[in-house]
Amino acid sequence: MSSSAPLLSRPDSSSEHETPSDALPPESLDEMIEWCMGGFRWRQFLQALVVSAAWFLDGQQACISDFTDSEPTWHCTSVSNSTCSSSSNVCNLPASQWAWDSPSYKTIISEWSLECASSFITGLPTSCFYMGCLVGGLIFTTLADSTLGRKNLLTMSCLLMSVAAFATTFSTNIWMYSALRFISGFGRASIGTCAIVLATEMVGKTWRGLIGMIGLFVGTLGLLSLPALAYALRTASWRSLYLTTSLMGIVYCVLVYFFTSESPKWLIMQGREFEALAILQQTISPAKHNSLKLYLSSLEPNVKQDFSKVGLYSSMKDLLKTQWALCRVLKIMVVGFGVGMMYYGMLLGVGNLNFNIYLAVTFNGIMIIPSYFVSYFLIDRLNRKSTLLCSTMLSGVLSIICAFVGSQLDSVKLPMELASFFCVCVAYNVHVIYTIELFPTCVRNSATSMMRQAIILGVLFDPTLIAAGRSISFLTYLVYGLMIILCGMVVIFLPETRGVTLSDTMEEDPKKGNANA
């Protein structure tokens, strides 16, 4: 939405055309939405909470493989047997000489005897999940703006993800399991975007920052809930974790469908003024109802048609045919690839730390929360380029230290991993804000979507790296460190955006034609 004058600057009786009982709303659509929703009433707050709860489910499914796909610990069945020790490779031992510390149904590795399978096979389910996210993101991107709308796409995505997670509990082999993880990721692709857009479009601009932060925090809470849930189900099968989280998702779909409203702005743009009117009337005083009806009836009939011409694919053409824009989007995608690989790789690879997995996931989740505050503090006082460059470089160096020093001293490995993860969290947050500022309004959503797809593409390599790191202890964090350093250096060739007025069109700023921009 475009910026507009604060709600209080347009009192109900400030001109000869207005009366205390029938105030005229602003002339533009964006200002009218702000006029109706500039406050923050209980109905709006409750809707924001319900919609933001989708992030909770998103956080759970994104990292559930930390527990379901991990390799359990094992022990020698006979201490007097000299051929078996804690440093032995179970693949070289007879089955009679070793056993899992937990029941075989604890994870998919032990239940399906995948301890000697290749890293490609053991990492396949997680790779399929994020491949589904990649494909789903490409397919679902325009549906929230066109045919389905925010609420329907959010409900459909959550339901698809949850039903696929429920079906996962009946998997009989790694192939069926991987296919269902792909479907789950396919559904999950648009949840975060739909949730934050729907939540913020239901409040005025003053409250959008807070509502956005609520969504991010709820997502972190979803991640933090996993260790507690997994610990409570530690004696049960890995299937129980999928069953519990999927049932939560199905119940949530019922709540969001029956107890939330569609975005009024989207409804108006689609020509569904009466539905929008019913929603907007719930957020304004009865004295303004007549003015709202008059305004909606005065909307030009071609609003819907004009809106339908604007979408991902039309703006994508502008990105591809304009040299400076194409060059710039490729650069931010390279940076996103490295940041995404590191960010999600750290979350998914905690099982390689030789530390209690429940505490390791919890500690990493906790690191995300202060990163929000540090990120906004830094970008408010420092340049975007220097903040993003320094955070990626520092994260990479700490990861390399974790790879080599941590392989010798386990007590050093976890602190280094947490410090590296904190830095990449800051880089992730800054990169999102930086990307939004790098592109004009006409292509901003498309450019941001491509950056997010690059992040998911980076995640696809994580499962194989993590599985390989079980055999070569330093490999995973070494690759992460080198990759984010190399990708982060691309920031040098991007322009600074701090204090620069954001443009709306591709031609507005002639400096953007610069090859280095």
Side-chain angles (χ1 to χ4, degrees), residues 140-150 153 194 197 201 266 269-270 307-308 310-312 445:
F140 286 152
T141 301
T142 60
L143 295 183
D145 290 331
S146 54
T147 56
L148 287 181
R150 287 86 161 100
L153 182 57
C194 285
V197 169
E201 286 186 348
W266 180 82
M269 288 296 195
Q270 294 295 312
F307 176 74
S308 63
V310 181
L312 172 65
N445 287 343

Side-chain angles (χ1 to χ4, degrees), residues 131-326:
M131 178 62 75
C133 292
L134 186 67
V135 176
L138 295 173
I139 294 177
F140 286 152
T141 301
T142 60
L143 295 183
D145 290 331
S146 54
T147 56
L148 287 181
R150 287 86 161 100
K151 175 184 172 180
N152 287 336
L153 182 57
L154 177 62
T155 305
M156 186 190 76
S157 298
C158 285
L159 186 61
L160 180 59
M161 181 186 73
S162 302
V163 170
F166 179 79
T168 302
T169 63
F170 302 100
S171 299
T172 57
N173 54 61
I174 187 68
W175 310 110
M176 180 179 179
Y177 179 75
S178 298
L180 289 169
R181 290 298 287 156
F182 176 88
I183 297 174
S184 184
F186 185 85
R188 180 245 179 190
S190 58
I191 289 177
T193 304
C194 285
I196 198 166
V197 169
L198 179 57
T200 53
E201 286 186 348
M202 292 299 294
V203 297
K205 62 181 181 180
T206 306
W207 299 95
R208 287 175 201 151
L210 173 63
I211 295 303
M213 287 295 292
I214 288 177
L216 295 175
F217 273 110
V218 172
T220 304
L221 292 178
L223 172 62
L224 290 173
S225 72
L226 267 180
L229 190 58
Y231 184 78
L233 300 172
R234 63 189 180 280
T235 59
S237 168
W238 59 269
R239 302 172 192 270
S240 301
L241 196 56
Y242 276 108
L243 179 64
T244 304
T245 55
S246 64
L247 291 178
M248 292 170 58
I250 293 173
V251 171
Y252 171 77
C253 291
V254 176
L255 291 175
V256 76
Y257 185 79
F258 288 103
F259 297 101
T260 62
S261 304
E262 180 57 90
S263 166
K265 180 176 181 179
W266 180 82
L267 290 171
I268 294 173
M269 288 296 195
Q270 294 295 312
R272 296 159 62 177
E273 293 87 354
F274 290 106
E275 296 176 57
L277 177 63
I279 296 172
L280 292 173
Q281 284 180 337
Q282 298 172 356
T283 64
I284 61 177
S285 64
K288 294 182 178 181
H289 285 183
N290 289 335
S291 297
L292 182 58
K293 291 179 181 179
L294 290 173
Y295 176 80
L296 291 177
S297 64
S298 68
L299 286 177
E300 296 183 6
N302 63 345
V303 168
K304 178 178 178 180
Q305 288 78 1
D306 290 343
F307 176 74
S308 63
K309 297 177 182 178
V310 181
L312 172 65
Y313 301 114
S314 61
S315 57
M316 194 71 77
K317 293 179 182 178
D318 291 333
L319 281 175
L320 297 178
K321 72 180 182 182
T322 309
Q323 183 178 359
W324 70 262
L326 176 60

Side-chain angles (χ1 to χ4, degrees), residues 397-419:
V397 171
L398 291 171
S399 182
I400 294 174
I401 295 175
C402 178
F404 289 107
V405 179
S407 62
Q408 305 298 325
L409 299 171
D410 287 340
S411 60
V412 175
K413 194 168 188 177
L414 181 62
M416 289 294 102
E417 189 271 346
L418 291 175

Side-chain angles (χ1 to χ4, degrees), residues 477-496:
Y477 292 102
L478 174 62
V479 173
Y480 287 163
L482 293 175
M483 185 59 66
I484 196 170
I485 287 175
L486 292 175
C487 293
M489 291 178 67
V490 177
V491 176
I492 297 173
F493 303 101
L494 286 168
E496 179 55 53

Side-chain angles (χ1 to χ4, degrees), residues 281-447:
Q281 284 180 337
Q282 298 172 356
T283 64
I284 61 177
S285 64
K288 294 182 178 181
H289 285 183
N290 289 335
S291 297
L292 182 58
K293 291 179 181 179
L294 290 173
Y295 176 80
L296 291 177
S297 64
S298 68
L299 286 177
E300 296 183 6
N302 63 345
V303 168
K304 178 178 178 180
Q305 288 78 1
D306 290 343
F307 176 74
S308 63
K309 297 177 182 178
V310 181
L312 172 65
Y313 301 114
S314 61
S315 57
M316 194 71 77
K317 293 179 182 178
D318 291 333
L319 281 175
L320 297 178
K321 72 180 182 182
T322 309
Q323 183 178 359
W324 70 262
L326 176 60
C327 182
R328 188 175 295 182
V329 79
L330 290 175
K331 291 173 185 176
I332 63 104
M333 288 179 71
V334 171
V335 179
F337 179 88
V339 171
M341 176 183 287
M342 183 84 159
Y343 181 88
Y344 285 98
M346 290 285 191
L347 288 174
L348 297 170
V350 293
N352 292 0
L353 291 173
N354 297 323
F355 193 79
N356 184 291
I357 190 171
Y358 304 104
L359 293 177
V361 174
T362 302
F363 290 157
N364 275 271
I366 291 175
M367 288 292 102
I368 301 176
I369 297 176
S371 74
Y372 296 139
F373 300 101
V374 172
S375 300
Y376 286 109
F377 177 82
L378 291 176
I379 62 176
D380 186 51
R381 289 164 174 77
L382 302 176
N383 293 337
R384 273 62 163 152
K385 285 181 63 174
S386 57
T387 302
L388 183 54
L389 182 64
C390 291
S391 57
T392 52
M393 296 301 106
L394 185 56
S395 179
V397 171
L398 291 171
S399 182
I400 294 174
I401 295 175
C402 178
F404 289 107
V405 179
S407 62
Q408 305 298 325
L409 299 171
D410 287 340
S411 60
V412 175
K413 194 168 188 177
L414 181 62
M416 289 294 102
E417 189 271 346
L418 291 175
S420 179
F421 180 66
F422 177 81
C423 291
V424 79
C425 286
V426 173
Y428 185 97
N429 298 335
V430 174
H431 186 47
V432 172
I433 297 173
Y434 190 31
T435 300
I436 292 174
E437 296 177 342
L438 278 170
F439 296 89
T441 303
C442 60
V443 296
R444 189 170 296 138
N445 287 343
S446 297

